[in-house]
Structures are given as C-alpha cells and as structure tokens.
Amino acid sequence: MKFSIATLLANISEEKLVAPKALEKKLDCQEEASIRKLQIALDALERIGILAKDKGRYRRVELENLVEAKLHCSSKGFCFAIQEKEGSEDVYVRESHLSNAWNGDRVLVKIVKEGSRRRSPEGKVEVILERANPSVLARVKQVHPEGQPHYRAIPLDDRLLFELDLLPTENLENAIDHLVHVEIVRYPLGSQRPIGKVVQILGSDAEAAEDIDIVCCKHDLPRDFSPRVLEEAELLVSNLSKSDLKNKLDLRRQLTLSFGDTNKKDINHAISLETIKSGQWRLGIHIADIPYYVQQESLLDKEACSRGLSVNLGKATIPIFPETISFDRLALLPERDRLALSIAIVIDNKGQIVEFEIEPSVISVNYQLTYEELEAMFDSEEPDESIHPDAEELHPFIQEIFAVSNALRNARLRRGAFELNLPEQISYYDEEGDLGAIVSPSISPGRAMVAELTVVANQVIASHLQALGVPAIYRVQNGPEPTEVQEFVKLANNMGAQLYLETPEEIQPADFQAFVEEFSNLKAEKIMTYLLEDSLKSASYSTTAKPHFGLA
C-alpha cells in the first residue's frame, strides 16, 4: 500500500500517542517493504521535530514558523507556497530551498525570513507531504549515442525543471523524440535524478497523439483497475435479499424516473413526484445507496477514495468503480430493485420548502428517459405516443416536474440568484458548474430542470448535516472582490450600460442579477457577460458551511 506523508500525519494527533502497529493497520502496510518505509518516514519526521517519540509511540508536535501550502512554481525555478487559509500570505521559495519538491506538491514550509509590506515572507521546504506528479508527459532523448545507449525524459511542463533517467524497456529506442507517458519510479534523492519508466508512447507529437490519452496522462487519470479490485467487484451480490430490505422504506410502487443521455449507464439518481393536500408537491430525489454495497476500508472503497470522482471526457467516462458494478449493481437501472437514499421534500407553489425527510429506501425506476424525450413531452400539449409508447402515463408527470422546477427556480431568483447567458458547453453538469451560478439559459430545458432539482436536494442535505453538527463537505462560493466589481461597473457604464451598486463594499448576488437583466437589452451582452464571469470566484469544496454566492 502506498501512502503519503500527509496521510501518515493525518493519523497522528498532538493529544494522543499512537503505536507503529496501529499505523501499519490504518495505512494498510502489510508487506515488509511497506512496513520498512513507514518506519523510515517516522524516524525522519522525528529527526526534524515534527513527531515526538515516547516509549515507542508517536505524537504530532506543533512547530512555529512552519506552514502547510501548495507549491506554484515558475519556469524560472522559483516558487510560491500558497496557503489554503484565506487571507494568508504566499511564501516565496528559492530554487535552492525547494528540497527536491516539484510544482503542485503539498509541502511544509519553514519561514526563514519575515515578509514586509513590499516583500513576501521567504521559506524553505522542510517536508514534502504529498506529491502532485506521480507521472509526467515528456519527450525522450538519447544522451549517449556512442556505446551503451542511455535515455532520459524531458517533461513538457516547463515548471518541472528536471530530467528523468529512464529504466530500460523494450523498444525504448523507438520512443526517441516522441511524446511519452512516464511513470515516476523514484523521486529525486539529494543530487540524484528522478527515475521513470515509459508506460505509453503517445505519438511523434501532440497532434499525432489521441486527445483522451494526453488528458489522462497529463492529469494522471487511472483508466484501469487492479485485478484485486476487479475481483472484489465481482463478489458483490447482484440481487437483493429479504435481509437487504429490512428497515428500508419501500417505494417500488411509486412512479420513478431517471434521466440521461442515450449512452449513459452509470445513472445514480432518480426522481419521483406526487401532489398532496393544498396543491403542495412531495418531490423525491433518490440517490443510489452505494455505501450499502461498498464497505468502508474495502479495496473498492480505497480505490474510489484515491480517484475522488468520475471524470467525464465527452464521449468517454472514467468511473470511480469498475464498469461491472458502476453500470449495473450501483446504477439505478429501469425495472430493477435498487437500494437508495431517498430525500422527500414537500414544496409549496411558491417554491418554498415546507418540510423534508431523509430515509434509506428500496426503489424501482420505471423509465429512463433521454433529455430529448423529456423535452419533447414537456413541449407537447397532449400525450404523444410517437415520443414514447407510455406517453399517456408520463405526460402529466413530466408537466408537474417542470412546474416544480419552475417554482424552485423562481424562489431562487427571488433570493437574488442569477443565471449567466453563456454559450452552451459540450460537457454538462447535474449541479452548478465551477462558476457557481447555474448557466441554464444556454443549456436545454431538461438539463436545467434536473439541475434545479439536484441543487435543492443538495441544499436540504447540507442544511440537515449543518443542523446535526456532523462533519460534512459543502459546495461553497465566496463573493467576488468588491474592487474588481467596481472596476467592471465603470467599464460597463462606459459601454452604454446603466449599472449601480447599492453597497459597493459588499457585493450581493442580487447585484449580479440586476447586471444580467441590464445586459439583455444591450448589443454588447455577450462581451459584458464574459467580463462579469471573470469577476466570479470558482465554486469549491469546504468542510465549513459557508454561503454560496451564485445560488444566493
């Protein structure tokens, strides 16, 4: 089992001593080589003062002038260590103080010179917590044409200022001057160069290489699963037993739909809807209960944690689980009994949430519709069997879903949320994208509807977890910098707009909503929307519940 120093330190606290045996278990160090590497890491961390040892057990030591940061390097050699904490200063790190750390690495930096008003503090890398480049895109060269051939790889990223010695492999001479994917076998030690291994020859240049190969190599996206992970996936039970259904809310008789493109197989959420008293709706968002199948600390769980999320590359998807289960047992397929986590939300006709419940359930998706079918049924005034053979049952259901979505959207807009009128993207999101604001005017009505329902489900879950006070990961978005927005207002007004900030020092989502409405009457709408977009900060993940600017 490979582990990083960051993972090791995350399992050691300042308050409680921990034994090496306990760390071996937590880090899954079963082989002798892994256990030896763990002990080497513990000895090194103790030697530099980050760990203290007491009767064979270890605890963390909080050191002054030591900050955790991520390296952003220049092609000229120097770097800045960027701290995650908002408002923290960036730390300048000379090339001679990098201690073999590379661009993107998470590090502990010791402050060696305090900063001033005009100069950043200066630091030195003490510990490399986590490597950001387990592989690199590079070009191969032969360094000694005479006699015994020797090969090196030169990274394409000019911020990686090193060459790698390549292990001899078959047909390596055919890779000379070619674009290759190099796996790091050993990082640099002292003055010794790093060692790599060519795992794929991509082509003579970027144009000759497949786009998907370049993307996967550049971002180190794993495309295959280990035999052990595949074996564990095959052992998952495909059919539900009576014991699986115990203490589960049975919703199999409820009309339930899922939506996706024709070729989408890893459907993990579905929707149900019923009208209740006083014209209110009970909206059901059902999410595949993957944790029921994938046990914590199993090989599948660890593989999913290392991948983080499924990656959509247009026509291809790199899942976090093997296709044998992500496209089958873990997917909400039509006419199959599936375990789910169901969020039932009662919504009034003004789009306000009246109450909600969250329960484990068993569901059976009745229909999986494409977005084209969904939108065609919404646009048709009467059921049309040419769109879908069961249009008689589906048509009123679809009309009601869109009514709920519109009510939620109107409530969101009344809170001050805004929508950017940007060109349609090839890649779609079920939630808000990196911009934070929903870009629904430029995506299809069906996708916008699903996004609206997904967002409200996330808001309900977030509010529930916050009320319980349990640890959670939130999707948040900080507001834009007031000075940037003020400059934008001046520019836009010079271009014929009439923008106004009620509180220039405290930008509100409603300000952006007013801007978007003003743009719609101008010829320069597209230009101004792009300029407004530039002032937005990206939405991000946080363990602290914070406001979300785009969603108000």
mmCIF file with all atom_site columns, all heavy atoms in Angstrom, residues 169 263 294 449 539:
data_model
loop_
_atom_site.group_PDB
_atom_site.id
_atom_site.type_symbol
_atom_site.label_atom_id
_atom_site.label_alt_id
_atom_site.label_comp_id
_atom_site.label_asym_id
_atom_site.label_entity_id
_atom_site.label_seq_id
_atom_site.pdbx_PDB_ins_code
_atom_site.Cartn_x
_atom_site.Cartn_y
_atom_site.Cartn_z
_atom_site.occupancy
_atom_site.B_iso_or_equiv
_atom_site.pdbx_formal_charge
_atom_site.auth_seq_id
_atom_site.auth_comp_id
_atom_site.auth_asym_id
_atom_site.auth_atom_id
_atom_site.pdbx_PDB_model_num
ATOM 1  N N   . THR A 1 169 ? 13.546  -0.339 -21.176 1.00 0.00 ? 169 THR A N   1
ATOM 2  C CA  . THR A 1 169 ? 12.380  -1.153 -21.529 1.00 0.00 ? 169 THR A CA  1
ATOM 3  C C   . THR A 1 169 ? 12.470  -1.514 -22.994 1.00 0.00 ? 169 THR A C   1
ATOM 4  O O   . THR A 1 169 ? 13.250  -0.931 -23.757 1.00 0.00 ? 169 THR A O   1
ATOM 5  C CB  . THR A 1 169 ? 11.058  -0.387 -21.290 1.00 0.00 ? 169 THR A CB  1
ATOM 6  O OG1 . THR A 1 169 ? 11.091  0.853  -21.996 1.00 0.00 ? 169 THR A OG1 1
ATOM 7  C CG2 . THR A 1 169 ? 10.832  -0.126 -19.812 1.00 0.00 ? 169 THR A CG2 1
ATOM 8  N N   . ASN A 1 263 ? -26.340 7.007  -24.162 1.00 0.00 ? 263 ASN A N   1
ATOM 9  C CA  . ASN A 1 263 ? -25.235 6.108  -23.834 1.00 0.00 ? 263 ASN A CA  1
ATOM 10 C C   . ASN A 1 263 ? -24.840 6.146  -22.354 1.00 0.00 ? 263 ASN A C   1
ATOM 11 O O   . ASN A 1 263 ? -23.870 5.516  -21.949 1.00 0.00 ? 263 ASN A O   1
ATOM 12 C CB  . ASN A 1 263 ? -24.005 6.442  -24.690 1.00 0.00 ? 263 ASN A CB  1
ATOM 13 C CG  . ASN A 1 263 ? -23.527 7.874  -24.482 1.00 0.00 ? 263 ASN A CG  1
ATOM 14 O OD1 . ASN A 1 263 ? -24.222 8.666  -23.850 1.00 0.00 ? 263 ASN A OD1 1
ATOM 15 N ND2 . ASN A 1 263 ? -22.356 8.193  -25.008 1.00 0.00 ? 263 ASN A ND2 1
ATOM 16 N N   . VAL A 1 294 ? -20.550 -1.050 -0.978  1.00 0.00 ? 294 VAL A N   1
ATOM 17 C CA  . VAL A 1 294 ? -19.099 -0.840 -0.880  1.00 0.00 ? 294 VAL A CA  1
ATOM 18 C C   . VAL A 1 294 ? -18.761 -0.526 0.579   1.00 0.00 ? 294 VAL A C   1
ATOM 19 O O   . VAL A 1 294 ? -19.021 0.568  1.064   1.00 0.00 ? 294 VAL A O   1
ATOM 20 C CB  . VAL A 1 294 ? -18.640 0.303  -1.802  1.00 0.00 ? 294 VAL A CB  1
ATOM 21 C CG1 . VAL A 1 294 ? -17.142 0.513  -1.686  1.00 0.00 ? 294 VAL A CG1 1
ATOM 22 C CG2 . VAL A 1 294 ? -19.038 0.009  -3.244  1.00 0.00 ? 294 VAL A CG2 1
ATOM 23 N N   . MET A 1 449 ? -33.830 21.655 -15.702 1.00 0.00 ? 449 MET A N   1
ATOM 24 C CA  . MET A 1 449 ? -34.793 21.148 -14.733 1.00 0.00 ? 449 MET A CA  1
ATOM 25 C C   . MET A 1 449 ? -34.127 20.184 -13.765 1.00 0.00 ? 449 MET A C   1
ATOM 26 O O   . MET A 1 449 ? -34.286 20.272 -12.539 1.00 0.00 ? 449 MET A O   1
ATOM 27 C CB  . MET A 1 449 ? -35.950 20.464 -15.466 1.00 0.00 ? 449 MET A CB  1
ATOM 28 C CG  . MET A 1 449 ? -37.037 19.908 -14.547 1.00 0.00 ? 449 MET A CG  1
ATOM 29 S SD  . MET A 1 449 ? -36.715 18.217 -13.976 1.00 0.00 ? 449 MET A SD  1
ATOM 30 C CE  . MET A 1 449 ? -37.006 17.302 -15.476 1.00 0.00 ? 449 MET A CE  1
ATOM 31 N N   . ALA A 1 539 ? -16.516 28.065 -7.602  1.00 0.00 ? 539 ALA A N   1
ATOM 32 C CA  . ALA A 1 539 ? -17.106 27.309 -6.501  1.00 0.00 ? 539 ALA A CA  1
ATOM 33 C C   . ALA A 1 539 ? -16.100 26.237 -6.072  1.00 0.00 ? 539 ALA A C   1
ATOM 34 O O   . ALA A 1 539 ? -15.334 25.726 -6.892  1.00 0.00 ? 539 ALA A O   1
ATOM 35 C CB  . ALA A 1 539 ? -18.415 26.671 -6.950  1.00 0.00 ? 539 ALA A CB  1
#
